[in-house]
Amino acid sequence: MKRGVGLAAFDHKQRETQKYSDIGATLLQRQSDNLNTQLSVFQSALSNFAIGHAHEIRTNAQFRNEFSKMCSAIGVDPLVSSSNKKSSIWASLLGKEVNDFYFQLAVKTVEICQKTRDQNGGLISIEEVRKRLKKSNSNTSVNDVEDADIERAIESMSVLGQGLDIVILGHKKMIRSVPGDLNRDHYKVLEACEVLGYVTVTMLLDNFEWESLRGLTVLDDMVASGLLWVDHQADETEYWAPSWID
Amino acid sequence: MAEAINPEEYQFPSIYNFPPFFTRQINQQVWNSQLGSWADLITSYCRHHRIWRLDATNDYTGLFENKLLKRKVRPDTIRDILDHLVASGQAMWTDPETIKSTSAKDSTAISSSRYLRQPAGILVLWQSLDDWAAILSQWLADTGHPKGSVLTLYELLEDEESRVPALIGMDRQLFGAVATKLVAKGSAVAMRDGNGGLVGLKTC
């Protein structure tokens, strides 16, 4: 027997669709509840872990690093504030202290960048920052840091704008604190400097096939902006990267 | 001149091995930081070796030449560095009067303007005049010299029995400036010879 071909059939169909979507919604709801429970269980486990090990996270650089890696592996960025909360996960899990750790580290890093800017033209290796942090030593809370901590501290400040960023030269990570018009030629020269500490016009000609005028223009430009130091007492004028001072 | 020889070798800052450190940098900020590094180096080097004077007669103790790197600072740049030390209160000119007269005399022989800007000498204040004056008054107080005691320069700076340990071998001109500070504070009176040269202090 054929079922209703009248107008009522439309109603029926609509009811059916409604039911399906209701079931769908319930399923989704259940799944999402499940996930939420899992997530909150997980979060509280993470939280317990973090609280239980707060001291180690604060004082042990290697431990802190592993914890960070764990967080990022599961897609939690402990430093970035989540949209519905005022404070970051570091802050909410560990109290203010660990969050403050990175904040302090960021402030110290900025201070070092500013203090050395005249000497290095606003480009300093993370390694150098770490060494200087260790030397200054006055503040014990940012004593034992690894390069990754500094990197994290800088990334945490990216919300503040374009003031600081990390650039890679050869195999070295550098912090750049000058609002950048570093072009590709500048980078090439700085990378070339990583080998001997300096370059000459001839070296640029030999390695990059830059004609003398181009090489000289780039180098003069970089000397004028403080990115390179010039040595007129060599056989051929040498252009040195200030990162080689230390 | 260095009587108390420091047994430990002076540790040069790493920038001393950076060849461009001996060439004046063009960028003004870089040059300022270079000046600062030179000032730090000179004061710490002189403190380490208890050197009071830097001038042409001791070839500026060879500090402006790095023989290993075969680099040296040009005389006019040396002059700029000394100017900076004096302007920032880290040094005093040695006897400004004689600078004028020698440059006037020599200018007939060599007319190059660079030569005229030939650096003069400085007294390096690796301790400020006020600090030296404070050290001296403290010593006077600690050693309990009664009011009106007369102390000759020899007694204060040389005599092993009576000298002030912190001031051993101090340059006389520098000591004169320290004494002036003390006199200004009213804790001593300067005693002078017929030509007005300082010969000692009387406590008060």
Side-chain angles (χ1 to χ4, degrees), chain A residues 48-87:
Chain A
N48 281 336
F49 178 85
I51 290 164
H53 295 83
H55 180 72
E56 269 178 292
I57 292 175
R58 241 176 291 132
T59 52
N60 181 338
Q62 208 184 340
F63 194 90
R64 181 169 56 243
N65 244 338
E66 290 304 322
F67 179 72
S68 278
K69 272 188 210 155
M70 190 172 86
C71 288
S72 65
I74 47 154
V76 175
D77 185 344
L79 277 177
V80 172
S81 326
S82 55
S83 52
N84 52 352
K85 280 188 218 151
K86 278 271 157 62
S87 56

Side-chain angles (χ1 to χ4, degrees), chain B:
Chain B
M1 172 115 342
E3 276 159 50
I5 289 157
N6 200 326
E8 277 174 49
E9 214 174 302
Y10 177 73
Q11 276 282 328
F12 279 97
S14 44
I15 200 168
Y16 197 68
N17 296 312
F18 188 61
F21 186 48
F22 298 82
T23 295
R24 186 193 170 122
Q25 298 303 305
I26 303 151
N27 177 295
Q28 188 58 39
Q29 272 134 328
V30 174
W31 168 236
N32 286 342
S33 96
Q34 197 181 0
L35 273 177
S37 298
W38 271 112
D40 290 348
L41 167 63
I42 290 166
T43 49
S44 76
Y45 183 85
C46 291
R47 183 182 302 119
H48 186 92
H49 291 298
R50 292 184 70 80
I51 293 167
W52 311 98
R53 264 172 198 263
L54 282 191
D55 57 28
T57 60
N58 64 5
D59 193 25
Y60 304 97
T61 72
L63 209 50
F64 291 109
E65 177 169 8
N66 185 330
K67 291 211 163 77
L68 220 64
L69 295 181
K70 299 196 180 97
R71 297 287 184 275
K72 56 181 173 189
V73 183
R74 275 170 36 171
D76 57 335
T77 307
I78 293 181
R79 175 62 195 245
D80 288 333
I81 293 169
L82 301 188
D83 274 341
H84 169 75
L85 278 164
V86 172
S88 59
Q90 298 175 85
M92 301 161 44
W93 295 119
T94 55
D95 234 352
E97 292 308 310
T98 53
I99 297 172
K100 275 182 216 154
S101 58
T102 44
S103 62
K105 196 171 33 179
D106 292 343
S107 62
T108 49
I110 299 161
S111 58
S112 134
S113 67
R114 186 184 298 171
Y115 187 83
L116 283 177
R117 269 179 53 72
Q118 185 79 340
I122 53 167
L123 290 164
V124 182
L125 299 174
W126 34 272
Q127 195 97 264
S128 74
L129 284 181
D130 285 325
D131 286 348
W132 283 124
I135 288 169
L136 182 53
S137 356
Q138 189 61 46
W139 180 85
L140 287 172
D142 289 349
T143 48
H145 285 88
K147 267 186 188 178
S149 305
V150 171
L151 297 155
T152 64
L153 282 191
Y154 179 77
E155 285 171 324
L156 285 166
L157 305 180
E158 315 287 344
D159 187 358
E160 286 188 28
E161 299 283 302
S162 61
R163 64 190 179 185
V164 189
L167 270 49
I168 292 171
M170 182 182 260
D171 182 277
R172 296 300 169 96
Q173 190 198 335
L174 179 57
F175 183 79
V178 176
T180 308
K181 286 267 173 195
L182 228 61
V183 171
K185 283 195 187 112
S187 39
V189 175
M191 295 171 43
R192 299 188 182 279
D193 62 17
N195 301 323
L198 184 71
V199 292
L201 290 176
K202 189 170 149 189
T203 60
C204 51

Side-chain angles (χ1 to χ4, degrees), chain A residues 97-163:
Chain A
E97 282 180 70
V98 173
N99 201 52
D100 282 356
F101 168 86
Y102 281 106
F103 181 68
Q104 270 187 28
L105 184 57
V107 171
K108 294 254 166 204
T109 305
V110 172
E111 275 173 12
I112 289 172
C113 289
Q114 275 176 345
K115 228 172 87 186
T116 57
R117 187 179 296 169
D118 285 349
Q119 193 176 72
N120 58 34
L123 207 59
I124 186 169
S125 69
I126 291 186
E127 191 191 352
E128 168 77 15
V129 170
R130 177 168 48 77
K131 278 188 197 151
R132 281 175 182 267
L133 282 168
K134 207 158 254 172
K135 238 190 274 172
S136 74
N137 222 354
S138 52
N139 197 328
T140 43
S141 71
V142 287
N143 220 340
D144 180 25
V145 296
E146 293 191 342
D147 291 2
D149 287 320
I150 299 170
E151 226 177 302
R152 216 168 286 132
I154 292 166
E155 280 160 7
S156 75
M157 287 194 303
S158 60
V159 283
L160 297 178
Q162 293 292 309

